[in-house]
Amino acid sequence: MSSKKILVTGGAGYIGSHTAVELVRAGYEPVLLDNFSNSERFIVARVRKITGRNIRLHTADCSVPAAVDKVFKKEGRFHGIIHFAALKAVEESVAQPLRYYRNNLGGLLTMLEAVARYQVPHFVFSSSCTVYGEPDKLPVREDAPVKNTSSPYGETKKIAERILETFLQSGVPFKAVSLRYFNPIGAHPSALIGELPLGTPKNLVPFVAQTAAGIRKILQVYGDDYGTPDGTCIRDYIHVIDLAAAHVRALGYLEKKRGPFYDVFNIGTGSGQSVLGIVRTFEKVTGVKVPYRIAPRRAGDIAAIYAAAGKAKKVLGWSAKLSLEDALRSSWEWQKGLCPSRGRTRRSA
């Protein structure tokens, strides 16, 4: 087992679980930390099955200092932290802003306090393209203005990036990268892990898949009057395995730097797809029709955003490899094994 031990907060979640798999493939030793507020314990067993490793799990809330201290005292030194743990639904954050500020910023502050106390040298932060707000120019580059965002969720990511910058300016000898995600979709090719929404999905592709499976009666398309070719919102959809691989590249990049050091990268495909485009492509690759209707615009949404991904390719040696079709096909394979249970869709262990 590698001595490069990486603490993965939110490690049983959608992106965290796929990243744990990629970390093992790259020779790292992931250790998972999750409070299971929006994830399921059986996913950890699935990650162990995929990797063939008895990956350790700590059930704790990363915003609670005493709980985090227990993890560090038990595990000893970490080579790095990948910090995923956060609430992430844009519309929900508009309705519950204080919950989002308390959870997302509190968790980061607690983890950075642990970084200083236990001298963790590498830190990869799960940020978001929402920090750009409504961009002036597409595709959006890392040097684009960081604006007032359209949701409290986006604000938490913007403030978090500023916290990281100022923390580094205080002279702590550690190195950090913020990865500004676009829209992760898809599932592991084994269909053992994938996106597992709590209750009604907040993201497009799980809702499309659940509608195709008959779990939802109809897909709501929020607005068809945006200034886009078909009137629906455009986003940059990236396969979750490509996104997970970007974290491994980011760790390798940080290992070559001397601290204090901070950088930001867009992690996207470099092209945009509309909501209706996603529906059509899903129908094409699965052969299943997705009934939909146009609904009013949703609070917090912007018309279009997609990445300029050249910096990640040049500096990290990373680029998206898997196609939109690959991602949607894998989402459907994952969904086909899901069943309704207690108000959410999930698999048994």
Side-chain angles (χ1 to χ4, degrees):
M1 181 69 73
S2 167
S3 61
K4 291 185 176 180
K5 192 158 52 174
I6 307 298
L7 182 62
V8 184
T9 72
Y14 176 41
I15 305 172
S17 59
H18 287 82
T19 299
V21 172
E22 293 302 309
L23 285 168
V24 171
R25 287 185 61 197
Y28 293 93
E29 182 185 351
V31 176
L32 310 185
L33 172 63
D34 206 298
N35 68 357
F36 295 98
S37 63
N38 194 30
S39 55
E40 293 277 13
R41 289 181 181 275
F42 76 83
I43 291 295
V44 178
R46 298 291 185 83
V47 171
R48 289 168 177 159
K49 183 175 182 179
I50 292 168
T51 61
R53 300 285 180 85
N54 187 26
I55 294 170
R56 292 190 298 286
L57 166 70
H58 296 271
T59 303
D61 189 326
C62 70
S63 66
V64 178
V68 172
D69 277 338
K70 286 183 180 179
V71 174
F72 277 82
K73 288 173 181 175
K74 185 170 184 178
E75 291 288 343
R77 182 169 172 79
F78 283 102
H79 181 69
I81 295 172
I82 301 179
H83 183 55
F84 293 110
L87 299 170
K88 62 178 185 176
V90 168
E91 187 179 27
E92 182 181 69
S93 77
V94 174
Q96 302 177 39
L98 298 184
R99 179 179 174 226
Y100 270 68
Y101 285 117
R102 182 184 298 278
N103 183 82
N104 292 6
L105 298 178
L108 175 65
L109 291 170
T110 300
M111 296 313 300
L112 291 180
E113 288 166 351
V115 161
R117 189 177 307 117
Y118 297 102
Q119 298 182 320
V120 182
H122 308 110
F123 194 92
V124 180
F125 176 62
S126 167
S127 191
S128 169
C129 65
T130 55
V131 300
Y132 298 116
E134 186 93 49
D136 298 323
K137 184 179 179 181
L138 292 172
V140 64
R141 298 180 2 157
E142 288 87 349
D143 57 4
V146 172
K147 299 182 175 182
N148 290 330
T149 68
S150 57
S151 69
Y153 164 74
E155 284 296 307
T156 68
K157 295 300 185 181
K158 186 176 78 170
I159 295 167
E161 287 193 11
R162 184 61 183 150
I163 289 170
L164 277 169
E165 288 183 277
T166 53
F167 181 55
L168 280 152
Q169 288 165 6
S170 72
V172 289
F174 101 121
K175 300 164 283 185
V177 158
S178 289
L179 299 183
R180 293 172 177 171
Y181 305 168
F182 283 68
N183 291 60
I185 60 173
H188 193 269
S190 66
L192 287 172
I193 56 175
E195 188 167 6
L196 192 64
L198 175 65
T200 303
K202 304 294 193 299
N203 296 330
L204 174 62
V205 171
F207 209 116
V208 168
Q210 288 189 15
T211 305
I215 295 167
R216 309 290 166 190
K217 290 184 178 180
I218 195 164
L219 170 70
Q220 307 271 10
V221 175
Y222 295 104
D224 65 347
D225 57 350
Y226 289 95
T228 62
D230 64 14
T232 64
C233 291
I234 289 175
R235 298 290 184 269
D236 189 336
Y237 294 92
I238 180 172
H239 200 301
V240 67
I241 291 178
D242 281 331
L243 176 57
H247 294 79
V248 176
R249 292 282 187 165
L251 281 172
Y253 174 62
L254 290 176
E255 287 165 356
K256 298 173 184 175
K257 298 292 182 180
R258 298 184 65 180
F261 177 81
Y262 179 67
D263 208 346
V264 299
F265 294 92
N266 288 338
I267 304 297
T269 67
S271 64
Q273 301 288 336
S274 72
V275 173
L276 292 181
I278 291 291
V279 172
R280 288 191 292 268
T281 305
F282 183 92
E283 290 177 338
K284 178 182 175 183
V285 300
T286 65
V288 182
K289 293 296 289 182
V290 179
Y292 70 87
R293 74 176 184 88
I294 305 301
R297 291 188 182 195
R298 187 170 56 177
D301 279 343
I302 63 172
I305 189 167
Y306 53 94
K311 181 180 176 182
K313 183 175 183 179
K314 180 179 179 180
V315 178
L316 300 181
W318 174 92
S319 60
K321 300 291 193 295
L322 297 164
S323 69
L324 177 64
E325 289 80 4
D326 292 330
L328 294 175
R329 192 178 294 111
S330 66
S331 291
W332 181 233
E333 290 304 313
W334 162 250
Q335 179 62 56
K336 284 192 294 186
L338 294 170
C339 60
S341 176
R342 294 184 291 107
R344 71 170 72 188
T345 57
R346 53 166 290 176
R347 291 188 182 203
S348 64

